[in-house]
Amino acid sequence: MDGRPLAPFHPLQSDEDAPLDALMAARVQATLAWGQLQGKLSHVPRQVAHHFCAALVRLMLIEALAQSGFSGAEGWFSAWFSGLAPVPDVTTQITAPAALVADTLLSELSLSTWEPLGQATAQIRAAARFDQDRHHAEPEIPPAFAVEEATRLSESLALGPEENWPLAALDRLHDAAAGSPHFAPVERNRQLLALPSGPMVFEQARSAMPLWALDLVAGRLIAQSNPGSPPLPLPGTVRAEALRPELWPRERAILVAEAAGNAARRVSEQLDAAYARVQVMQAAISRLRSTSRAPHLYRLLAGFGPLRPLQIEQALGVSKNGARDLVAALVKAGLAETTAPRHQAVIRALPPPRTYNVPAAEDDVSADSPYAEHDAIMADIDRLLARANASCRGNDLDE
């Protein structure tokens, strides 16, 4: 070794920019996914919007916790949110306390100008019972500051010269974030150690960046140039690899388009799931009182996750007896169940039941039925067996 500093290695770096047709292909796919999502969001029933927004809030919270160093949040989030368990021990570097991240995110989402999102977030925020984690040190980048910085970046962006695709605002947001010390990935610290096998370079993991704050403003930024588009948060839209300073312009644009398309498809799948769950709920509780708030509770449980009775009281603003009646109605309809983890009552929504319509033996099976092909094959086998038996009987007579 001559003692010179090691040159940084960038796996995405190339000698020239990506071809233009690769960028156009990525943008076409992203535009298609985004257009499909906007078409579904253009006329969303109130019940579906409430379920969808509750699920979107949960997704944003889990994404933000994961980016803050809390892995596996999907498995422990519900117990932590209900105050039944602390955040489990983690091995990754923590950038901010979990409670501080959740408080900040819920506060911002509750101010959404899209009424269904603001309403659902306010209910979820009222139901929060997680530990405040006050023993953690002050984070290097407080979540509230990350949101302020992301908002400042989005408000400072001017319209670009090329606005020929609906997600051009995301390109400008990534360009600005790539130059921000609060969001752009920093170089890893390298340490050279002399080992018996030879010198080895070890890299220290860098701190995670609060990219969830950029996801929070991404939908609002897109909505400014797309009238009629609700200002939704778009979890997973901004990724660290797209903010690398060594990327060529089209390389970054391709990563931006691919992430935007995946985020749009992810949100679209959540909206489809909300339609399906609401349809099942309406069929199951059609006999309940029309003024009952049980459907409202089911949408909250199915979208966001299990809640304790006290959380239901706070979220819906009902009394203890009122919450008990709502839960009883859902249990009677087969839509929810009560469990007792850690000796605490928890109510969770049940998945839609699977129904199989198997026709009776005497029923006629139409040609379009999935059983028609099976019956035809069995009939052919019976005919072949009949021929084989007849042939054997003929041979026996001949002998």
Side-chain angles (χ1 to χ4, degrees), residues 113-135:
T113 56
W114 195 40
E115 183 180 357
L117 180 58
Q119 180 192 36
T121 306
Q123 293 173 341
I124 293 169
R125 190 182 183 191
R129 287 294 178 274
F130 46 75
D131 182 14
Q132 293 301 315
D133 303 333
R134 300 186 186 278
H135 58 280

Side-chain angles (χ1 to χ4, degrees), residues 161-238:
E162 183 183 359
E163 299 289 347
N164 58 355
W165 80 300
L167 305 180
L170 291 182
D171 289 317
R172 302 194 303 273
L173 180 63
H174 279 76
D175 289 339
S180 170
H182 306 297
F183 298 112
V186 296
E187 294 296 336
R188 300 187 181 189
N189 294 327
R190 292 177 173 82
Q191 186 176 10
L192 180 64
L193 297 179
L195 300 177
S197 58
M200 294 288 294
V201 176
F202 292 89
E203 292 186 346
Q204 296 179 347
R206 51 178 175 256
S207 300
M209 296 296 169
L211 302 183
W212 58 267
L214 296 173
D215 293 340
L216 189 65
V217 303
R220 288 183 291 186
L221 189 60
I222 295 174
Q224 294 176 4
S225 55
N226 292 268
S229 174
L232 295 177
L234 298 174
T237 301
V238 182

Side-chain angles (χ1 to χ4, degrees), residues 303-338:
F304 184 75
L307 297 174
R308 296 165 61 187
L310 178 61
Q311 293 178 286
I312 294 174
E313 296 171 26
Q314 297 297 324
L316 302 185
V318 297
S319 65
K320 184 176 181 179
N321 290 335
R324 184 185 298 113
D325 292 341
L326 295 180
V327 172
L330 292 181
V331 172
K332 183 179 179 180
L335 294 172
E337 69 174 1
T338 300

